[in-house]
Amino acid sequence: MEAAAIYWQGLSMGASLIIAIGAQNAFVLTRSIRHEHALAVSATCALIDVLLIAAGVCGIGTLVATNATLRGIAALGGAAFLVWFGARSLCAALRTQRLAANGSEGHPPGLTATLAATLAVSLLNPHVYLDTVVMLGAISGNYPGNGRYIFGAGAATSSVLWFFSLCFAGSRLTPVFNNPRAWQYLNLFVCLLVWWIAATLLYGYFK
């Protein structure tokens, strides 16, 4: 198979996994709407995905998939974080004061705090590892020679394009979110979303 065809297969497969509503995507979109270090957040998420895809392509995905202890730590730790993250979003949804789209209530968080939250919502979410390290890593093994690396490059490209697209889309939605009711709906949606993800993780672990 030609390198271009393998690259586009990696690009389309990566896009099919990442372009879905999830905790990480909701976090990036929210920070973009608020203009809270949106470029730094998008770049951090893209870099994390690129590194995890590289790890999967290099064979770490097989280790994680076959190690029950690692899977258990990822499931329980990720579910705990998502429950906490959802509770924060629910509290924000219950507030009635105006939320300015150019920052959060009061003083906007600094770059260090924002990047720390970005790392947490990315690295404590087991779905990130399942999609990048495990699934994409396993699929890349089907391509002989350097094909697996070309496939991984295509998948990594889709992540970079997606996160910076979210950054741009969030900035365009700022006028909509000048309405405090829109913020309440968004925070409620994020809460329900991450709690549903946490429930699926716990169900998969205990069943």
Side-chain angles (χ1 to χ4, degrees):
M1 185 179 296
E2 293 183 359
I6 297 176
Y7 177 85
W8 283 108
Q9 287 183 7
L11 185 72
S12 59
M13 179 60 66
S16 67
L17 292 175
I18 194 173
I19 302 177
I21 297 300
Q24 189 184 41
N25 287 340
F27 179 86
V28 174
L29 185 60
T30 301
R31 291 305 175 272
S32 299
I33 293 171
R34 292 180 181 271
H35 300 291
E36 292 177 356
H37 313 289
L39 283 175
V41 169
S42 298
T44 300
C45 289
L47 178 60
I48 290 172
D49 262 21
V50 169
L51 294 176
L52 291 178
I53 290 171
V57 169
C58 291
I60 297 179
T62 303
L63 174 64
V64 176
T66 57
N67 190 304
T69 301
L70 291 179
R71 291 201 311 271
I73 292 174
L76 296 178
F81 171 76
L82 291 173
V83 168
W84 172 82
F85 186 74
R88 283 192 60 192
S89 297
L90 178 61
C91 290
L94 295 176
R95 298 191 187 107
T96 57
Q97 64 263 38
R98 178 182 178 82
L99 298 177
N102 60 351
S104 53
E105 313 129 76
H107 298 289
L111 178 60
T112 301
T114 300
L115 292 182
T118 304
L119 292 174
V121 80
S122 300
L123 298 178
L124 295 180
N125 182 2
H127 284 282
V128 173
Y129 300 97
L130 292 175
D131 290 346
T132 56
V133 179
V134 178
M135 186 169 294
L136 290 175
I139 295 174
S140 70
N142 294 319
Y143 297 92
N146 291 327
R148 64 188 306 166
Y149 303 111
I150 298 172
F151 177 88
T157 301
S158 68
S159 291
V160 173
L161 293 175
W162 173 247
F163 283 119
F164 282 101
S165 296
L166 279 181
C167 178
F168 175 76
S171 65
R172 304 296 291 181
L173 289 172
T174 296
V176 176
F177 285 90
N178 280 329
N179 182 347
R181 183 67 66 182
W183 278 110
Q184 289 182 312
Y185 288 145
L186 177 62
N187 283 317
L188 181 60
F189 170 75
V190 171
C191 170
L192 296 176
L193 170 70
V194 297
W195 278 357
W196 177 79
I197 295 173
T200 60
L201 289 175
L202 294 174
Y203 175 77
Y205 177 73
F206 287 108
K207 73 175 181 179

